Amino acid sequence: MTTGSHPTSSQPWLHQKGEVIQEFGTVKQFPVALSYDARMYSCQRLNKALADTQILYSLYKKHHWLLRGATFYQLHLLLDKHAEQQLELVDTIAERVQTLGGVAVGDPRHVAEITSVPRPPDGVEEVPAMLSRLLEAHETILADAHDAAARTAELSDDGTNDLLVSQVIRTGELQAWFLAEHLVDTPLVRS
């Protein structure tokens, strides 16, 4: 039995190669009532946020695994919760890029080329340094998100503006608050 010009078989067609059907950095036309320029700008800014958020997610997981010391359990759980929230943002941002007709950055090697979040040491840092590194990554993302939100509002891209404000910025600010409070030098008990 055949389907089309190929015989039916249970053998997978391995090692297939295909043509790139849409280049990164381009947007195709979608009926979303936004100009090409607005969609192109939003996709560029969203891909930057997407790359930074993927790196932040990875930093959270790295620090979640490598924590040491008296606050291990509490921070282990907190960093894992924050990582999961960042992973949700990764998917939401990527889907917004696709909704605008763009191509979301997904390959970790490409992400590393785009991100502004500095690479951490490969080894284990002390807990305060880990938390400070996460806070600096949040601040980088938040500064960029504030700027992108203002510009996407000017371009009437309400969907991207809403995503940046209600999800990227609000999640980042809340997580930064939780992390920063762990760096306050207060005794656990008084004697």
Side-chain angles (χ1 to χ4, degrees):
M1 179 179 201
T2 63
T3 57
S5 62
H6 302 289
T8 303
S9 168
S10 66
Q11 173 61 45
W13 290 37
L14 305 174
H15 309 292
Q16 296 186 48
K17 303 289 186 252
E19 298 294 320
V20 172
I21 60 173
Q22 184 180 354
E23 294 289 336
F24 181 80
T26 65
V27 293
K28 59 186 174 184
Q29 185 59 47
F30 268 170
V32 293
L34 289 169
S35 72
Y36 169 85
D37 290 339
R39 291 180 304 108
M40 179 62 89
Y41 180 82
S42 291
C43 286
Q44 289 169 347
R45 296 303 296 264
L46 287 167
N47 267 318
K48 174 72 171 60
L50 179 56
D52 289 343
T53 302
Q54 289 179 71
I55 295 297
L56 180 58
Y57 164 77
S58 295
L59 278 177
Y60 266 116
K61 290 307 283 189
K62 176 184 180 183
H63 297 332
H64 160 80
W65 297 321
L66 302 180
L67 283 166
R68 311 266 162 86
T71 59
F72 168 80
Y73 185 70
Q74 297 86 344
L75 284 174
H76 182 75
L77 295 178
L78 178 67
L79 297 190
D80 201 37
K81 177 182 176 183
H82 283 194
E84 290 305 313
Q85 291 168 340
Q86 289 299 318
L87 188 57
E88 289 176 20
L89 280 176
V90 165
D91 197 50
T92 301
I93 297 166
E95 288 176 352
R96 181 66 186 168
V97 171
Q98 297 304 124
T99 299
L100 294 172
V103 177
V105 61
D107 185 284
R109 294 160 295 196
H110 192 186
V111 167
E113 294 170 3
I114 295 173
T115 188
S116 296
V117 176
R119 181 178 175 163
D122 291 335
V124 180
E125 294 179 285
E126 294 174 341
V127 172
M130 289 180 186
L131 298 180
S132 290
R133 185 172 300 285
L134 289 166
L135 284 169
E136 289 165 11
H138 272 295
E139 191 165 30
T140 295
I141 292 168
L142 287 167
D144 194 57
H146 282 292
D147 182 66
R151 182 72 178 118
T152 57
E154 292 171 6
L155 293 169
S156 299
D157 184 353
D158 299 325
T160 298
N161 175 273
D162 179 61
L163 183 154
L164 290 167
V165 173
S166 68
Q167 294 180 294
V168 174
I169 292 172
R170 287 192 181 142
T171 299
E173 287 175 345
L174 188 64
Q175 289 183 349
W177 170 48
F178 272 70
L179 292 175
E181 293 300 338
H182 282 275
L183 293 175
V184 175
D185 187 17
T186 59
L188 294 175
V189 294
R190 298 218 185 265
S191 54

